């Protein structure tokens, strides 16, 4: 087949591809990461590039998209038919380092443990063998180690054994032995010369959208570097469902997704190691927390039945695997602790979060809420734990919202609306011109629109005197930022559809919370502590979230932000090995409430499709806000 | 091809087979297990059946066998030429619960165990999951298995888990689960539909020269096929030392040797599986016994320091590995039990032999001798065990001898010399013209040459009146077979050098035995039982071996042939799982005597370089043989 050259600018990277390759595929091959959240379906409109020169063929997008100007095309819908010069706008690129990892607010729920790392190092001065003292190399090491671990059986993996003879002799029998302590056994991971005593672990949060990695010094018990990137699986679809479909309907689909997740993780690991001047062999342990689908894909387990009723994962507890088996680019014998799941939609990320936040040891009644693409939540204390997952949708991550975007540079993260003039002010991440609006901005906007009387309690636009409210072919929309103010030359609007989507999302989360409470027959105000997790949680304005009915109307001092608890729990098991058994117990102990059984959730959901709720008694503090413009005639939509 | 009906009595089982099928094959197909330890060669005489009626053709047996009476035939030598009625005597049947392993000579040292195979199959009828009974696939299986293994932790490997979801659904939740029972754990190896209940294991004897494999039915507790081939490593050198040099001085040498061993083993396995119509996934367990170098090469461990003083192997106990890790072409999750070694030159083959022959449980004092390229021996009883290895060289396997060859078709295996005429008669394997001489022939020749006074006690040729003794540029030689009689057109001779080599070899073995005895301060006649192992052992003429001073001069009834005990021990651990821990204990318990330390061995060796020995008191029965020609003037050499 004919091959053509595609050159990407401003880098000037040139590659050769067969005729008919899409520009999205070509960019991936050139190592240029384009935004794409619809899996190349031509519906998200994020992979916009400009064809400067050359012969291409573009199929029309799936939905109406306004492209920035002449020559702009969707990379996923555009095929190469000759040599091409392509410019990749900054906005279409995945920003590599905008994954948020940690925050000061998380400090209050940290559960410090005595440093007792998963792996440790023992220095041995061995007597060299002689004709009369002729034990094998491994017996020699094992015997010496027994002084340190008298009660423990001491094992070694085949790959470590393969290196042992030379390692001992190169180190002239004075060695540092790295061991993992697991299940009452000590397992030798690595043998080096006596002066190489530093060992590290990596904690991995494998999210559907982003991957976060912490590099941990196992001797000092410290996080020494953190990093993140987008999950490269994104090009196969935005959410777990589209990934599952890809994995189970495409030949090699599961393998492709597994490799994409691995490539994302390995990329971050290798950057962190490079930054710190650490070799991959020094990383002797790993832990990984992810939702059930991500965990299945990472381990090469089919996620097919996670999607199909009755939603059954292959496993919720996973075998102890070695880095070499998984493809993680660290020491091949390093154990990889993969957090157990609870069910198909309550995964290891939630178990890790429950571990880190200490719910399972709490005397108080705790509600733990992780709002990502799904809303997952755990309610309970040291006696019992119950969890559920509601399909909140990706709205709070910017998905499915016309100008929605993740909390990154250019995102409106706060909105003010003057009650008198209905004029809008916004706060933008990175203090630049706004390009879109992220979750916290959306919550803010919804609260302020309602407070200003621009929308009513059902989310319908009201007849209000402002040019910002306008009607289009597809219904009404409200202009948050005029194109003269915006960073992309477009009016940034919230449409009627966006508002409905947001209300459904917030309604689902609140209905999940209520379903848990009703199942255990408790009232909202019995909750002593609400812990909010997820990257999202870092920017959430709690009063606004209460005002729109996303979160319960409880005193603000009961709320705690915990940040990326999935990653933090993963770090914890590396530093405190007893925590691993605790995590496994949480996985077993957590009852899963399947919301698709019975009417409970659906009834709660319908009741929650108002701002804040049909039952205003649930929101006493909110009910007192009177909208300036009383609900009146709807603007025709 | 014409098909005939064969009916076996007293069961009355009738099957249809093509003309020319042997009764042994037909019985196997009918599910009737006949004793057969020569592999259908017509030499063991165990598969005796009575043809009551019908048309058959019997070939004569390989050796003279007395059959019980009219109509009795060897099933392996009898072909079906019409419909046949066959009666199977009880004595010819394999007892279901006794692990019978090889030839009749081995019988007396067989250690029958109750059938308790390493792997077993459990049938499960699982309830399909529902929205309310939504445990994961693996939890469902695990819970159901717990009824069978209440006290045991139940594990699964990642690769098995990867197949689980589809396996359960394809079998419509009625499954057969194959599990390995090891270290107090049950590990799921394979999940299939409920009617696939047959599982198999392979026992492997990885020898320096040959590879032997037994395919074992783990349900019925029977060996169903055996096969062997040459170790393909041979092209890198004949003995372990040359292999070690290749492995450690050639780039990729270790990998090449590892792959060569694997290819040899996999070839035999695949032939056996093809022969029996078994798929590789049905083979769910393996065991492997080999000398220390072979074991290191199989596992990819460097054998470098096995060769260099002080002769240290990387390990003597090996991690439990999976077939997938090793490259064995059976079910990738199958456990591979690799027999522990004792030291660099006493390997897993000896531990396996010690296990099979039951030395470690014996009340009597047992000497176990395995004569291959090295002579390895174990002395002891249930209280203590000591072992050593002496560099006997490959002479008894035909190596280093001018016309030496292995015990195969065309090899002289027995020699007679007429004391009066000095004329020679020989017995050739396969009743063809002689091509060379194998180990048992060499021992015979040495004994007969001495008895006829053709050589003296030091092995030097004497002036005797026969044209067979002649002088060449390289010394004297004795013609065993004239070129007119031989199969290769050459005079088959034994040279002076050959005789020196043989004396050194037999001296080394005997010196090893004496060194063990002196170390524990015991006399020769305290040995209650001498077990001879090795392929060689099957053909050895004990009186001749004593006469040349290879083996101790003890009553013949103390001698037992055990055949390939390395393979037999490997089979045993597959059929009796408790034996594996016993094997590991033998490995730990066996004291290793390093013969290169001190002068003990060297002194014994020098004393043993006579026929039979310098100290004739050690060989009272031999000393009485007076050579016909008294030691006189040497023929110039």
């Amino acid at each position: 087949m004919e091959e053509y050259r595609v050159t990407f600018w401003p880098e000037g990277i040139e590659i050769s591809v067969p005729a008919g390759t899409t520009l999205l595929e070509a960019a991936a091959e050139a190592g240029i990461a384009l935004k794409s959240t619809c899996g190349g379906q031509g519906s998200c409109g994020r992979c916009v590039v400009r064809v400067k020169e050359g012969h291409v063929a573009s199929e029309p997008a799936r939905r109406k998209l306004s492209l920035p100007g002449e020559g702009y095309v969707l990379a996923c819908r555009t095929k190469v038919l000759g040599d091409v010069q392509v410019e990749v706008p900054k906005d279409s690129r995945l920003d590599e380092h905008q994954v948020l990892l940690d925050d000061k607010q998380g400090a209050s729920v940290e559960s410090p443990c005595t440093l007792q790392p998963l792996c440790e190092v023992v220095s041995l001065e061995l007597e060299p063998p002689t004709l009369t003292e002729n034990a094998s190399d491994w017996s020699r090491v094992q015997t010496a180690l027994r002084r340190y671990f008298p009660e423990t059986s001491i094992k070694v993996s085949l790959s470590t054994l393969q290196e042992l003879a030379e390692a001992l002799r190169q180190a002239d029998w004075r060695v540092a032995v790295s061991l993992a302590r697991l299940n009452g056994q000590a397992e030798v991971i690595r043998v080096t010369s006596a002066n190489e005593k530093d060992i590290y672990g990596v904690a991995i949060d494998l999210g559907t959208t982003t991957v976060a990695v912490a590099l941990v010094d196992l001797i000092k018990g410290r996080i020494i570097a953190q990093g993140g990137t987008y999950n490269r699986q994104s090009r196969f679809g935005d959410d777990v469902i589209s990934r599952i479909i890809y994995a189970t309907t495409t030949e090699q689909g599961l393998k492709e997704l597994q490799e994409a997740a691995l490539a994302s993780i390995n990329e971050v690991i290798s950057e962190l190691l490079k930054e710190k001047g650490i070799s991959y062999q020094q990383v002797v342990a790993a832990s990984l927390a992810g939702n059930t689908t991500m965990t299945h894909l990472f381990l090469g387990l089919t996620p097919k039945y996670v999607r199909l009723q009755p939603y059954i994962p292959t496993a919720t507890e996973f075998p102890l695997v070695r880095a070499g088996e998984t493809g993680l680019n660290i020491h091949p014998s390093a154990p990889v602790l993969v957090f157990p799941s609870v069910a198909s939609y309550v995964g290891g990320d939630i178990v890790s979060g429950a571990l880190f936040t200490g719910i399972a040891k709490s005397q108080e009644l705790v509600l733990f809420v992780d709002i990502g693409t799904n809303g997952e939540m755990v309610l309970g204390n040291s006696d019992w734990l119950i969890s559920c997952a509601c399909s909140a949708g990706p709205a709070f991550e910017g998905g499915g919202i016309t100008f929605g975007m993740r909390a990154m540079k250019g995102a409106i993260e706060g909105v003010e609306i003057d009650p008198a003039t209905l004029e809008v002010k916004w706060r933008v991440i990175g203090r630049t011109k706004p390009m879109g609006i992220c979750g916290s901005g959306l919550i803010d906007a919804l609260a302020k629109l309602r407070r200003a009387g621009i929308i009513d309690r059902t989310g319908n636009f009201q007849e209000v005197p402002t040019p910002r409210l306008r009607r289009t072919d597809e219904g009404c929309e409200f202009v948050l930022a005029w194109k003269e103010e915006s960073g992309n030359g477009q009016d940034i609007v919230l449409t009627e559809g966006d508002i409905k989507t947001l209300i459904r999302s917030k309604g689902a989360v609140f209905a999940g919370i209520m379903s848990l409470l009703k199942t255990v027959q408790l009232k909202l105000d019995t909750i002593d502590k609400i812990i909010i997790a997820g990257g999202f949680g870092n920017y959430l304005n709690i009063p606004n979230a209460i005002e729109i009915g996303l979160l319960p109307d409880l005193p603000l001092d009961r709320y705690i932000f915990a940040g990326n608890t999935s990653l933090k729990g993963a770090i914890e098991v590396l530093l405190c090995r007893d925590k691993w058994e605790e995590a496994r117990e949480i996985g077993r102990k957590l009852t899963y409430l399947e919301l698709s059984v019975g009417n409970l959730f659906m009834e709660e959901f319908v009741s929650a499709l108002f701002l804040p709720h049909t039952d205003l008694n649930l929101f006493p503090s909110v009910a007192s806000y009177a909208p300036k413009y009383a609900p009146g005639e709807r603007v025709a939509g």
Side-chain angles (χ1 to χ4, degrees), chain A residues 317 340-342 351 358-362 378-387 582-592:
Chain A
E317 290 200 27
S341 292
V342 175
V351 172
I359 309 177
K361 289 181 165 181
S362 171
V378 178
L379 179 71
N381 55 33
S382 57
D383 293 329
W384 53 269
L385 292 170
I386 185 167
S387 65
E582 209 177 307
R584 287 161 55 94
E585 271 161 33
I586 290 172
R588 290 183 206 121
K589 184 177 166 183
L590 245 166
T591 304
Y592 175 64

Side-chain angles (χ1 to χ4, degrees), chain A residues 446-493:
Chain A
L446 205 58
K448 301 299 166 55
L449 284 171
R450 178 190 167 259
R451 201 184 284 196
I454 298 167
I455 54 173
D456 67 9
R457 283 185 56 213
T458 66
N460 287 324
F461 279 114
Q462 304 300 299
E463 192 84 52
V464 289
T466 168
R468 287 182 180 268
L469 184 66
R470 67 189 184 194
R471 198 163 161 186
T472 71
D473 292 347
E474 287 160 19
C476 285
E477 61 184 29
F478 185 81
V479 181
L480 290 168
W482 300 105
K483 63 180 172 220
E484 295 76 18
E485 307 166 306
S486 79
N488 54 8
Q490 290 181 277
D491 290 342
I492 295 173
V493 301

Side-chain angles (χ1 to χ4, degrees), chain A residues 599-617:
Chain A
N599 294 323
L600 178 61
F601 176 75
M602 201 37 80
E603 281 166 12
E604 289 296 332
F605 178 60
V606 171
S607 303
L609 292 177
F610 285 75
L611 295 172
H613 199 270
T614 45
D615 181 1
L616 288 179
N617 292 327

Side-chain angles (χ1 to χ4, degrees), chain A residues 159-204:
Chain A
S159 59
T160 300
L161 205 54
Q162 284 167 344
E163 311 290 331
L164 183 65
E166 293 303 343
L168 290 174
R169 286 162 183 84
Q170 272 162 24
D172 201 17
W173 305 96
R174 287 185 292 276
V175 290
V177 179
S178 311
L179 301 101
R181 303 289 303 277
L182 265 171
N183 306 325
Q185 292 186 342
E187 182 171 319
V188 173
I189 307 295
R190 191 181 181 221
V191 177
T192 57
S193 69
N195 54 357
E196 292 176 46
K197 281 190 188 174
D198 293 328
I199 55 170
Y200 303 89
V202 285
I204 301 157

Side-chain angles (χ1 to χ4, degrees), chain A residues 83-146:
Chain A
D83 292 350
V84 194
Q85 305 283 326
V86 180
E87 188 184 286
V88 183
K90 203 152 181 297
D91 292 346
S92 302
R93 290 171 188 265
L94 279 177
D95 189 343
E96 291 282 327
H97 290 283
Q98 203 107 30
V99 178
L100 258 149
L101 286 165
D102 207 354
D103 64 319
K104 64 177 189 308
Q105 293 165 308
S108 53
V109 284
E110 259 158 30
S111 54
C113 69
T114 312
L115 180 64
Q116 213 185 20
L118 183 65
C119 297
E120 52 196 274
V121 174
V122 173
S123 294
L124 301 177
E125 294 220 1
L126 300 167
E127 288 294 323
T130 64
L131 278 174
T132 47
E133 276 288 0
N134 56 3
S136 74
D137 292 343
W138 170 236
S139 301
R140 192 166 301 271
V141 171
Q142 217 177 6
T143 304
L145 286 172
R146 225 164 253 140

